[in-house]
Amino acid sequence: MRKPDGKIVLLGDMNVGKTSLLQRYMERRFPDTVSTVGGAFYLKQWRSFNISIWDTAGREQFHGLGSMYCRGAAAIILTYDVNNPQSLFELEDRFLGLTETANNDCLFAIVGNKVDLTTERGPEGGEKDQASGKTGSCVSSKVPKQVHPEDAMALYKKILKYKMLDEREMPGAEQMCFETSAKTGHNVDLLFETLFDLVVPMITRQKAEESSPIVDITICKAPKQTRSGCCA
Ligand SMILES: Nc1nc2c(ncn2[C@@H]2O[C@H](COP(=O)(O)OP(=O)(O)OP(=O)(O)O)[C@@H](O)[C@H]2O)c(=O)[nH]1
Ligand SMILES: [Mg+2]
């Protein structure tokens, strides 16, 4: 098997839907899942590159493994559940620290999953069914969204500051914060394919640097002069 050219890692609390998102994208279905143990990866061919996408366990007992999975990552998908504010909080509190082992120029996407279960705020402040777009007081069993996109965008900006990444050189919060549904497939292709397109130039640059390493001439010492006047 060819070594992957780049790596993307899904992180986030248990039950937010990491495995479901990956299965929706790779297998085009929404099967029943069991809580992930350790981690597992899929290989995706994107253009001429092989990208590994790692699914990790959100359960606390596997927390120690997280930084190992993030090693050398080109992009990290921080996933939360739009119905569970605590799951967004956990991203900053528990998962961000695991990303220290990722590449220095690692990209971050913040993904609010399970939007199919929610209603959206309508223009007049009323609730609107996110799937059908209908406004009304009795809109099925859906609940108002608990975490709004602005909260995720604020976290994205905070992460750039924390990582000391220049906001002007990184993709904007609007591009890197997604709301998805693994159940309906909403925005799932957009999420993964946006990341692939951003990661590919990074891989190309990295490969170019590896094939023509820069020689630091300041560390090439001048030849020593021997007593006889010859160079040693
Ligand atoms: N309605 C709805 N349910 C979802 C969605 N995504 C996942 N689920 C359900 O949420 C539960 C957890 O999904 P998983 O994909 O196993 O969650 P996970 O983040 O991988 O969890 P861990 O492996 O424990 O870290 C399952 O019952 C899924 O069917 C979604 O977009 N909409
Ligand atoms: Mg899982």
Side-chain angles (χ1 to χ4, degrees):
M1 189 179 68
R2 210 178 101 193
K3 192 172 159 271
D5 301 299
K7 181 182 188 183
I8 296 178
V9 183
L10 281 147
L11 287 183
D13 210 354
M14 64 181 284
N15 219 33
V16 294
K18 300 177 295 298
T19 303
S20 303
L21 282 168
L22 198 45
Q23 296 204 338
R24 162 61 72 192
Y25 182 68
M26 293 301 295
E27 297 178 3
R28 322 307 290 170
R29 59 195 190 102
F30 180 65
D32 285 342
T33 53
V34 285
S35 188
T36 304
V37 173
F41 75 97
Y42 279 92
L43 265 186
K44 172 76 184 174
Q45 169 117 31
W46 188 252
R47 311 199 195 290
S48 56
F49 299 99
N50 252 342
I51 298 175
S52 60
I53 316 171
W54 284 82
D55 180 21
T56 62
R59 270 195 278 167
E60 189 97 49
Q61 71 192 101
F62 297 111
H63 194 65
L65 299 174
S67 56
M68 185 182 85
Y69 290 117
C70 289
R71 191 171 304 282
I76 292 179
I77 301 174
L78 293 166
T79 318
Y80 66 94
D81 173 350
V82 292
N83 305 297
N84 177 0
Q86 182 64 22
S87 67
L88 183 76
F89 176 74
E90 292 284 322
L91 290 180
E92 185 180 352
D93 194 48
R94 194 150 71 86
F95 292 96
L96 192 56
L98 301 176
T99 64
E100 299 295 326
T101 51
N103 286 350
N104 289 338
D105 54 357
C106 179
L107 297 165
F108 291 88
I110 304 193
V111 176
N113 190 38
K114 305 196 189 182
V115 279
D116 59 283
L117 297 175
T118 66
T119 53
E120 178 102 319
R121 278 175 300 191
E124 294 91 33
E127 297 297 328
K128 201 168 96 182
D129 185 313
Q130 186 137 21
S132 70
K134 284 182 197 149
T135 312
S137 54
C138 53
V139 280
S140 73
S141 58
K142 298 189 179 197
V143 292
K145 202 187 287 172
Q146 298 293 303
V147 186
H148 295 287
E150 309 87 78
D151 305 326
M153 287 196 246
L155 175 61
Y156 179 78
K157 290 180 183 169
K158 215 167 165 183
I159 291 175
L160 295 192
K161 280 217 177 80
Y162 171 78
K163 296 276 178 187
M164 292 194 282
L165 294 166
D166 190 339
E167 245 186 74
R168 288 162 305 182
E169 287 172 14
M170 299 299 285
E174 299 75 19
Q175 191 188 358
M176 299 306 273
C177 296
F178 299 82
E179 287 193 329
T180 59
S181 166
K183 184 171 181 180
T184 65
H186 179 72
N187 278 349
V188 176
D189 288 357
L190 179 73
L191 161 67
F192 285 102
E193 294 175 4
T194 299
L195 284 182
F196 297 154
D197 282 339
L198 289 168
V199 158
V200 159
M202 292 164 71
I203 298 172
T204 313
R205 211 179 321 129
Q206 203 176 329
K207 279 185 185 285
E209 282 169 12
E210 278 165 15
S211 62
S212 58
I214 297 164
V215 179
D216 186 351
I217 53 167
T218 60
I219 58 169
C220 292
K221 287 189 191 140
K224 256 195 248 157
Q225 199 89 46
T226 63
R227 262 193 220 149
S228 64
C230 295
C231 293

